[in-house]
Amino acid sequence: MKRVLGCSFRNADLPPLSFEFGTRRRVLDLPLIAWLTVIWVLLWSTLTWANVLTGLVVSVAVCLAFPLPRVDLGLRLHPWGILRLAGYLFYDMYTSAVKVTRQTLFGLPHRAAVIGVPLRCRSDLMLAATAVAVSNVPGGSIIEVRRATATVFVHVLDADRPEELEAARRQVWRVEELTVRAFGTRDEIARVAEPPPPPQLAAGRPAP
């Protein structure tokens, strides 16, 4: 007997927080239903139980009548990984902001540089997520993402010594690893567990 009801917790092929039922394999995406319900309540401009329940019924009916094609974005939610990524970013934002403030107010001028950092994951989603996470930290910003080679080019403020450039690269790889462990697939998580590629392969010339 075939299973007539499935959920994303047991079936990795389903989108996150979704249910599948029936012989025609209808999928109910809970985040989509919640968003359609919010829109329904906003259209009525009144938050009542009747509007919420009516919105849920209408949202489910719309999803069943007009099912969306399956599109796998490669997004997986790992709660522990998300907490680790958030904690690292908050800590890094604080320490980087203090460092940039000290350099600006009390330190001597430093030599800035643009370095190419090759990433281990080549999916568009992980490239974009890593670039956004790196750009949110003071002192470094992504100026270009080269999709063909999975390389991000980072502008760093403190580039006086080779050790500082290598530390900037390690920071980008650390952010990539945490981002993938928070939102990546199993294959991507296994990929970031491998050693990072040499920087020479990123820009086609020796790294600075």
Side-chain angles (χ1 to χ4, degrees), residues 2 12 20 33 58 64 69 73 89 94 118 128 135 148 154 159 171 177-179 185 192 194 197 202:
K2 295 184 178 180
E20 180 185 52
I33 292 176
V58 173
L64 293 178
L73 299 178
L89 289 179
Y94 171 76
S135 297
V154 188
Q171 184 181 23
E177 180 184 357
L178 292 174
T179 301
T185 61
V192 297
E194 301 174 354

Side-chain angles (χ1 to χ4, degrees), residues 118-197:
L119 302 182
R120 287 156 289 188
C121 288
R122 292 180 171 269
S123 66
D124 293 342
L125 181 61
M126 291 299 104
L127 282 175
T130 302
V132 171
V134 172
S135 297
N136 284 333
V137 177
S141 59
I142 301 293
I143 62 174
E144 182 183 349
V145 177
R146 187 169 296 176
R147 182 172 179 267
T149 57
T151 304
V152 294
F153 291 87
V154 188
H155 178 269
V156 294
L157 294 178
D158 199 356
D160 293 326
R161 299 188 304 273
E163 296 82 5
E164 295 167 345
L165 296 178
E166 186 61 27
R169 293 190 183 94
R170 288 198 302 267
Q171 184 181 23
V172 173
W173 287 325
R174 178 59 174 166
V175 173
E176 178 200 19
E177 180 184 357
L178 292 174
T179 301
V180 172
R181 292 186 181 278
F183 304 109
T185 61
R186 291 183 179 179
D187 293 339
E188 291 169 339
I189 293 176
R191 187 179 293 271
V192 297
E194 301 174 354

Side-chain angles (χ1 to χ4, degrees), residues 93-105 110 138 158 164 167:
M93 287 179 187
Y94 171 76
T95 56
S96 299
V98 172
K99 182 178 179 180
V100 171
T101 302
R102 288 179 177 176
Q103 291 179 355
T104 303
L105 298 180
H110 290 264
D158 199 356
E164 295 167 345

